[in-house]
Amino acid sequence: MAALIATRQVSSREIVTTHLERIAEANPQINAIVTLLADDALRAADAADAAVKRDDPLGPLHGVPFTVKDCLDTAGVTTQSGSRIFAEFVPDADATAVRRMKAAGGVLLAKTNLPEFSSSTETDNLVTGRTNNPWNLNRTPGGSSGGDSAAIAAGMSPLGIGSDVAISVRGPAAFTGIAGLKATHGRIPFTGHFAPTTSAWWHVGPMARTVGDVALTYSILSGPDGIDGYAVYANHFDTGNTRIPGRALRVGWVSDEAFGPVDPEITAAVESAAARLAGLGCRVEQVGVPFLKQAAAPTALTTFVYGELVPYVKTLVAGRESDLSPAGSDILAVQDPTLEQLRVARRATETLRSAFGGYFADYDVLLCPVNPVTAPPHGAQEFVIDGATVPWTHVMTATAPFNLTGLPALSVPYSISSENLPINIQLVSAWFDESTILRLGAMLERSGGLGPRRPPITAEPIPMRPNQ
């Protein structure tokens, strides 16, 4: 799109208008877009077209529309965080990620749905309602970046900015068949995201229909902003640049052994991706990584995150507790962690980081599932996987370890299940080696993966209400 605009083959106004028409067609059924900025986007598109006619210098996203998860601040535009508490909150300044997208020429098109305070794997709240998966409206697109993933998958947006604390970019990307990156912690500044006290664990990340577009967006978003104390490395710093030239990439793959139970179709996709990478010249082998099953990463991660989030939310909602959704109320019900629980979580974190340090001394990439299941029905509290019943929290088993350790992880569209639902695979690399997994993800797309396909959407809207 940027190339077509820059070469005057199509205007930014035409592209923005096309997306607005698609939103009008699809959003009544999906409910991914919660704040539409049609007039502002068209004005920005006209300004972008005028710049092209003047032969002004153009940014890499000049005239291209994008969407933003509604927990990232947007100057002069309501940022609700899926909560009645913030239903009328209008920030004065853009989040760093939003500001950088605009500086690259991007046109802010809309804000997208999320669970209250980004605190659930189901995108639903009392302000803007529930988001449906465009592949099957009775299934969830996941959370907490489910609004952006559904909008992108349905063609309502070409790319967006989400965020991830345990699963929230990569999981929704997998449930809807798009690409999503959780870069090394601190690569992309957290500035302007809800709950700054949780910045030690949250990651802001790009989402798009192709790995190439994710890579482009990542290159725009990464780097210090002088505010986020974790964002300290220049965006050109990449540990993959120190790899021995000419040496084949070493890829280990694992599924049930580390994250089980996993849907057999998803394990088959991981094994197929391993074979494809071997065919592309990588040195690939199945690995045993018992430290992953022993880590209890979701428990350790929630101990840290809720230890910071609970007191923050309690202060925010004091006197308005009745305005909270079930997801918001669940936060208040969490007890403060004990000193012993914090010690256990810290030990688990350091043990896991050390284990990965050893793993990445021998391998360059870990290939594994993203989610253990394809997109489940709305509101599912448990899953039956290959005959085993597991709680809904099991959906984070293959993603949380990489938030806990801050490792970069990429969700790559790969195949389609027997139920006509997307299956993604996950590529993980050593800290600050995003280039390797982005390159391998693009290779998998080109070698026959799922790629950028629009899901089927039923013709008639289905009735929706908050927490349906």
Side-chain angles (χ1 to χ4, degrees), residues 123-158:
T123 295
D124 191 3
N125 63 71
L126 294 175
V127 181
T128 48
R130 189 186 77 191
T131 298
N132 299 312
N133 192 317
W135 289 86
N136 183 327
L137 299 177
N138 295 314
R139 304 295 181 105
T140 179
S144 57
S145 305
D148 241 307
S149 71
I152 293 166
M156 293 187 279
S157 169

Side-chain angles (χ1 to χ4, degrees), residues 76-155:
V77 177
T78 306
T79 300
Q80 302 170 95
S81 295
S83 178
R84 288 173 173 169
I85 307 298
F86 290 98
E88 298 179 1
F89 172 60
V90 180
D92 296 325
D94 285 328
T96 295
V98 176
R99 176 173 53 81
R100 288 179 174 177
M101 293 290 281
K102 290 180 178 179
V107 173
L108 179 59
L109 183 67
K111 305 293 291 290
T112 55
N113 207 20
L114 72 168
E116 187 165 34
F117 305 141
S118 294
S119 61
S120 175
T121 57
E122 173 87 42
T123 295
D124 191 3
N125 63 71
L126 294 175
V127 181
T128 48
R130 189 186 77 191
T131 298
N132 299 312
N133 192 317
W135 289 86
N136 183 327
L137 299 177
N138 295 314
R139 304 295 181 105
T140 179
S144 57
S145 305
D148 241 307
S149 71
I152 293 166

Side-chain angles (χ1 to χ4, degrees), residues 1-2 11 58 64 84 93 140 178 202 214 231 237 248 250 260 280 284 340 346 367 382 392 402 409 417 437 452 466:
M1 291 180 191
S11 69
L58 307 181
V64 176
R84 288 173 173 169
T140 179
I178 67 168
W202 274 101
V214 163
F237 175 75
R250 303 163 298 174
L280 292 167
V284 181
E340 180 58 25
R346 176 57 62 187
L367 165 64
E382 61 183 21
W392 68 268
F402 313 118
S417 77
I437 53 177

Side-chain angles (χ1 to χ4, degrees), residues 58-79:
L58 307 181
L61 291 178
H62 188 84
V64 176
F66 70 97
T67 47
V68 176
K69 184 180 179 182
D70 201 24
C71 57
L72 283 149
D73 287 350
T74 42
V77 177
T78 306
T79 300

Side-chain angles (χ1 to χ4, degrees), residues 128-384:
T128 48
R130 189 186 77 191
T131 298
N132 299 312
N133 192 317
W135 289 86
N136 183 327
L137 299 177
N138 295 314
R139 304 295 181 105
T140 179
S144 57
S145 305
D148 241 307
S149 71
I152 293 166
M156 293 187 279
S157 169
L159 72 168
I161 307 172
S163 60
D164 190 318
V165 72
I167 187 175
S168 298
V169 162
R170 292 155 296 153
F175 282 161
T176 58
I178 67 168
L181 174 67
K182 185 202 77 63
T184 304
H185 182 255
R187 276 296 213 184
I188 299 172
F190 188 69
T191 309
H193 189 288
F194 171 78
T197 60
T198 61
S199 63
W201 312 106
W202 274 101
H203 304 65
V204 173
M207 307 175 78
R209 282 190 290 278
T210 69
V211 173
D213 284 343
V214 163
L216 171 62
T217 309
Y218 162 67
S219 73
I220 292 165
L221 296 178
S222 61
D225 68 348
I227 303 172
D228 183 346
Y230 292 103
V232 295
Y233 285 90
N235 60 1
H236 62 265
F237 175 75
D238 195 290
T239 55
N241 295 333
T242 63
R243 189 170 294 114
I244 299 171
R247 191 192 72 192
L249 286 174
R250 303 163 298 174
V251 179
W253 72 271
V254 70
S255 185
D256 294 77
E257 296 81 0
F259 308 112
V262 175
D263 186 308
E265 290 189 282
I266 294 176
T267 295
V270 172
E271 190 168 1
S272 170
R276 287 187 184 278
L277 290 177
L280 292 167
C282 297
R283 197 189 81 194
V284 181
E285 61 182 288
Q286 189 172 7
V287 293
V289 280
F291 59 86
L292 272 170
K293 203 155 195 177
Q294 298 163 2
T299 300
L301 186 62
T302 54
T303 298
F304 289 130
V305 173
Y306 279 95
E308 298 291 345
L309 185 61
V310 171
Y312 181 79
V313 170
K314 282 182 177 178
T315 300
L316 281 177
V317 307
R320 296 189 60 184
E321 289 84 356
S322 61
D323 284 332
L324 295 178
S325 68
S329 297
D330 286 347
I331 295 175
L332 300 187
V334 175
Q335 297 295 313
D336 289 338
T338 65
L339 181 58
E340 180 58 25
Q341 287 172 323
L342 288 169
R343 285 173 176 164
V344 169
R346 176 57 62 187
R347 282 197 300 269
T349 304
E350 297 308 322
T351 299
L352 192 57
R353 285 182 63 91
S354 179
F356 274 123
Y359 176 86
F360 285 113
D362 297 324
Y363 297 91
D364 301 304
V365 173
L366 177 66
L367 165 64
C368 61
V370 182
N371 301 324
V373 292
T374 54
H378 290 289
Q381 295 300 300
E382 61 183 21
F383 312 124
V384 178

